[in-house]
Amino acid sequence: MRIDNVIRYAIIPLGGLGTRLYPLTLETSKAMIRFLNRPLIEFIILKLVTQGVKEIYLGVSGYVNYRNVYDYLGEGYRISSKYGLPNSFRVRYQPLEDSVGNADSVRIVIEYYDLKDPFIVVQGDTVFDADLADLWRHHVEKEAFMTIVLKELENVEDIKEFGVAIVDPDLRIRGFVEKPKRLEEAPSRSVNTGIYLFSEEFTSFIRSPEILEMRKRGEMDFGRDIIPKLIREGKRVYGYTKIRYWFDIGSPKRLLEASLYLMRVLDPEELEVTETWNGVKLQGKSARSRALHRDIIERAEKKIIVFEGEVLVGRHVYIGDHAKIRDSVIDNYTIISNGATIEGSIVMDRSFIGKGSVIINSIIGRHVKIGNNVFIEGSVVGDDARIGDNSRIIKSKIWPHKELDPGVVIENMVFK
């Protein structure tokens, strides 16, 4: 391997139905979930192409995944234009062939496009920040067949949700303990992020007859099947731990946690923020957005609107008098009526929050209409739902397009 090489190719598997994110992904690819007021896939692609990746291969599987992602990204020119990037990267797609796991999706892409160079794999429900040049140097220095980006976690409950690495002092990986039930069973605090760097030899390995036999048995998951096989065969599998942040956005809880954390720590430029005021970060460059910014700030200065903590406000958002917003993300074209309260929550684009309504630790999907004096806590409301006046929704999930009559009380339920 040449030390001066760069990572030019990336494969992003997008298979699966995203069931853990239901109801947000019932009609939307998880890659297209709204994240900090943009599609999630946009964050992933920007992180790659701004560090030299030239070809993005999307391992799309299923109609929803393909339709949503292709209609938004096309071949990548839209993102190039939006961010003023050179038209030097391209988005390509998995052909219409069913995959039986994330490794199989990678195999299909490698075979179809005849890839023979090193490449990186990033899961489609991941946000991360790592120096790819440093990752490549580490990979070359270790003469690795595969390098797995590891993230050290402190929270015991989080560690239980991932594969935990058995790792030597020199970062060679000897195995994983999958989802240990107790912390004592975890060999370390370093978990598998699902970000993998492969040497060119892997392109032959994944197309070998032995792997094709594994495919017939449905054994094509990286964590469960491919990585253990590589380790058993003595392949040089190493870990890499220099990662600024990483989030697996595989559930509403993790989506909310990642959004609120990165809203606080990312630079205004990364968040596309054009104006700030006392922890309030406002997006939008148009004359209309600027006018709304000025109006919001003027009323906040007079305490007519109350902001607490960190708040991200999207483009063309209207906030009524006596509204209170704390530690939340408000997406584009949302209307928040007089006296509404939003705390620790995400309200996605084009939603309407009625007068006096309260939303706490919840996610409100796209184009949702919430009536007056509604109370929602610890819940997820799917796209285009309608919630009647004076309703109460606690620790529940509301499926897209559902309508709740006024005064309905739902607790610990899934309303389909």
Side-chain angles (χ1 to χ4, degrees):
M1 288 183 289
R2 301 196 313 273
I3 192 72
D4 62 342
N5 207 340
V6 293
I7 303 171
R8 294 195 296 266
Y9 304 96
I11 301 176
I12 306 175
L14 299 180
L17 299 175
T19 53
R20 291 186 300 152
L21 272 167
Y22 278 4
L24 300 172
T25 49
L26 273 161
E27 300 176 339
T28 303
S29 168
K30 60 186 175 183
M32 290 299 294
I33 284 291
R34 300 290 291 177
F35 182 74
L36 297 175
N37 303 346
R38 278 177 281 172
L40 173 61
I41 190 68
E42 199 165 295
F43 280 84
I44 301 172
I45 289 177
L46 280 174
K47 191 60 65 176
L48 295 169
V49 302
T50 54
Q51 297 191 74
V53 172
K54 303 298 183 184
E55 300 274 352
I56 304 284
Y57 297 90
L58 297 181
V60 290
S61 178
Y63 173 66
V64 169
N65 273 328
Y66 174 76
R67 179 198 65 194
N68 289 170
V69 175
Y70 183 82
D71 287 353
Y72 184 77
L73 293 177
E75 294 186 352
Y77 302 125
R78 183 182 185 279
I79 288 184
S80 291
S81 175
K82 178 179 178 181
Y83 293 100
L85 300 172
N87 292 321
S88 56
F89 82 94
R90 184 176 180 182
V91 178
R92 296 185 174 187
Y93 298 85
Q94 176 181 322
L96 185 55
E97 182 177 340
D98 290 336
S99 56
V100 295
N102 52 14
D104 195 37
S105 183
V106 169
R107 179 196 65 81
I108 291 168
V109 167
I110 287 173
E111 190 170 78
Y112 186 81
Y113 292 101
D114 196 25
L115 296 185
K116 296 177 181 177
D117 293 291
F119 64 94
I120 190 170
V121 170
V122 179
Q123 307 307 314
D125 54 2
T126 293
V127 287
F128 73 101
D129 186 17
D131 184 335
L132 298 190
D134 189 65
L135 171 60
W136 173 255
R137 284 192 294 270
H138 176 82
H139 181 78
V140 172
E141 288 168 2
K142 295 297 185 183
E143 299 181 339
F145 186 87
M146 175 188 189
T147 298
I148 301 174
V149 176
L150 303 174
K151 176 64 176 175
E152 188 165 301
L153 300 182
E154 296 299 327
N155 188 300
V156 174
E157 294 306 313
D158 287 342
I159 291 172
K160 293 178 181 179
E161 294 298 315
F162 300 101
V164 185
I166 304 169
V167 59
D168 290 345
D170 68 346
L171 291 179
R172 183 157 184 174
I173 295 174
R174 300 299 180 177
F176 285 89
V177 173
E178 289 296 325
K179 298 182 179 180
K181 293 181 180 179
R182 297 189 305 275
L183 186 59
E184 308 85 73
E185 298 174 1
S188 69
R189 292 179 178 269
S190 296
V191 304
N192 183 354
T193 66
I195 302 171
Y196 310 131
L197 178 57
F198 291 100
S199 295
E200 55 269 30
E201 292 87 358
F202 184 82
T203 61
S204 299
F205 170 86
I206 199 67
R207 299 167 70 173
S208 67
E210 188 175 357
I211 294 298
L212 295 180
E213 286 299 316
M214 291 176 62
R215 184 185 188 277
K216 292 177 183 178
R217 301 192 296 269
E219 299 171 355
M220 291 295 286
D221 180 82
F222 273 117
R224 186 185 64 240
D225 307 307
I226 301 301
I227 294 172
K229 178 176 174 59
L230 292 176
I231 293 172
R232 286 196 306 270
E233 293 183 358
K235 303 290 187 185
R236 295 176 66 85
V237 179
Y238 277 84
Y240 176 84
T241 58
K242 298 177 185 178
I243 186 166
R244 180 184 173 200
Y245 62 77
W246 166 79
F247 288 95
D248 163 30
I249 303 179
S251 67
K253 177 178 179 288
R254 292 197 182 120
L255 172 63
L256 187 56
E257 289 174 349
S259 298
L260 299 184
Y261 174 81
L262 292 178
M263 173 185 66
R264 293 192 298 270
V265 304
L266 291 183
D267 295 334
E269 184 178 354
E270 291 182 89
L271 291 169
E272 297 188 323
V273 168
T274 55
E275 194 158 2
T276 61
W277 179 86
N278 288 356
V280 181
K281 304 171 183 180
L282 301 121
Q283 299 171 315
K285 299 177 181 178
S286 70
R288 178 60 177 163
S289 285
R290 296 286 194 180
L292 286 167
H293 293 174
R294 289 192 297 272
D295 175 66
I296 288 170
I297 292 171
E298 286 174 7
R299 286 185 293 138
E301 288 175 338
K302 296 174 182 177
K303 308 283 192 219
I304 297 172
I305 302 173
V306 176
F307 290 107
E308 296 179 355
E310 301 277 339
V311 177
L312 180 64
V313 178
R315 297 180 288 111
H316 300 275
V317 170
Y318 175 79
I319 302 174
D321 290 349
H322 310 297
K324 178 182 176 181
I325 306 176
R326 178 177 63 82
D327 294 328
S328 294
V329 177
I330 312 299
D331 207 341
N332 305 330
Y333 296 96
T334 290
I335 296 175
I336 300 172
S337 301
N338 294 353
T341 297
I342 301 171
E343 298 184 359
S345 297
I346 297 171
V347 180
M348 294 185 181
D349 59 320
R350 292 187 179 270
S351 289
F352 178 93
I353 312 300
K355 294 178 181 179
S357 289
V358 176
I359 300 168
I360 300 174
N361 301 333
S362 296
I363 300 177
I364 307 302
R366 310 179 70 181
H367 204 258
V368 172
K369 185 172 183 180
I370 293 175
N372 299 327
N373 301 311
V374 172
F375 181 84
I376 300 176
E377 183 176 14
S379 298
V380 183
V381 180
D383 297 347
D384 200 41
R386 299 291 183 264
I387 312 298
D389 296 348
N390 304 307
S391 297
R392 291 176 60 85
I393 303 171
I394 301 171
K395 296 180 180 179
S396 296
K397 294 182 177 181
I398 310 299
W399 253 227
H401 312 295
K402 294 300 176 182
E403 295 192 17
L404 271 64
D405 293 332
V408 168
V409 176
I410 293 179
E411 186 168 357
N412 294 309
M413 287 181 58
V414 176
F415 188 79
K416 298 182 180 182

